Amino acid sequence: MDYYLLDGTTVLVEEFTRDRDHVTVGLRAAAWDHDVRRWVSCAAFSRALRGDPGLLARVTAVDRAGAEAAHGEVLPSEADLRAAFLDVAAAARTAPLRLGPDEVPEGSQEQRVYRVLFAARTATPYRGDRRAGADVFSWELRRVANGAAWALDLTALLADGGDDSVGTVLADLTREARARGLVPIATERFA
């Protein structure tokens, strides 16, 4: 689950739903309503804030401890928070785009390319790589869409064709980008 503060005080909790390929298929969210003192489902609001620069500027990514500190008490369990997710902002799902030849480097059985798209905020571009067992991952965070957004492009070279490590690496990299102030929009697969 991802935690945000709206105007430093209102806690917003989100969770992306993903298919078996780790691609975003929806967004679920709930926010604490101070007036009625309960969690209110707000997937449409959560989706909309990513396209509204004014709202986006009022949102700060935090961890669970930061959300609890702003809330002033221990948050409900994740299972209880999920029970407040009454609606889903669905994401369009398309087949992976093929951006080049299907050549797989020697030593790998499959190559995949993912993009995690983030709403425009201030960040610093970077590159990275790591291994997970025999799988090799490389990525780059950069501005896209004429500066209107950020993208984390991940190339996964899978040694045995299994994708157990892909979801973990995508989650780790998304969490790192959130810690740098970016707000994720969706994860897509390009190849």
Side-chain angles (χ1 to χ4, degrees):
M1 295 185 111
D2 294 334
Y3 300 89
Y4 297 93
L5 298 180
L6 180 61
D7 295 329
T9 58
T10 300
V11 177
L12 173 65
V13 182
E14 299 180 338
E15 187 170 55
F16 286 98
T17 54
R18 304 186 190 286
D19 68 7
R20 61 178 169 67
D21 209 14
H22 313 291
V23 172
T24 301
V25 294
L27 174 64
R28 302 177 309 157
W32 178 254
D33 186 320
H34 294 281
D35 294 333
V36 297
R37 303 212 34 85
R38 66 180 175 90
W39 292 95
V40 177
S41 188
C42 62
F45 170 80
S46 209
R47 172 75 71 204
L49 77 84
R50 287 155 165 81
D52 183 325
L55 279 175
L56 192 61
R58 296 168 47 198
V59 173
T60 305
V62 294
D63 60 11
R64 185 177 172 93
E68 288 179 337
H71 189 60
E73 60 185 86
V74 175
L75 294 177
S77 69
E78 289 190 349
D80 288 341
L81 287 170
R82 282 184 185 99
F85 297 158
L86 302 179
D87 58 340
V88 176
R93 178 68 168 110
T94 59
L97 298 172
R98 298 294 174 195
L99 299 177
D102 288 335
E103 296 176 23
V104 177
E106 188 173 323
S108 299
Q109 287 192 13
E110 184 179 3
Q111 176 175 301
R112 293 186 188 177
V113 178
Y114 288 89
R115 171 169 281 176
V116 183
L117 192 62
F118 296 91
R121 301 277 307 245
T122 301
T124 303
Y126 63 89
R127 294 174 181 267
D129 60 77
R130 86 180 201 202
R131 294 184 79 87
D135 298 335
V136 178
F137 298 90
S138 60
W139 61 87
E140 178 181 12
L141 178 72
R142 60 192 177 89
R143 293 203 55 95
V144 295
N146 293 323
W150 286 85
L152 180 93
D153 292 330
L154 171 71
T155 299
L157 300 176
L158 305 176
D160 64 5
D163 69 351
D164 294 340
S165 58
V166 173
T168 300
V169 171
L170 281 167
D172 290 349
L173 294 175
T174 301
R175 189 171 27 260
E176 181 180 328
R178 280 186 72 250
R180 294 171 182 248
L182 295 177
V183 178
I185 296 172
T187 301
E188 302 168 324
R189 181 174 169 194
F190 286 162

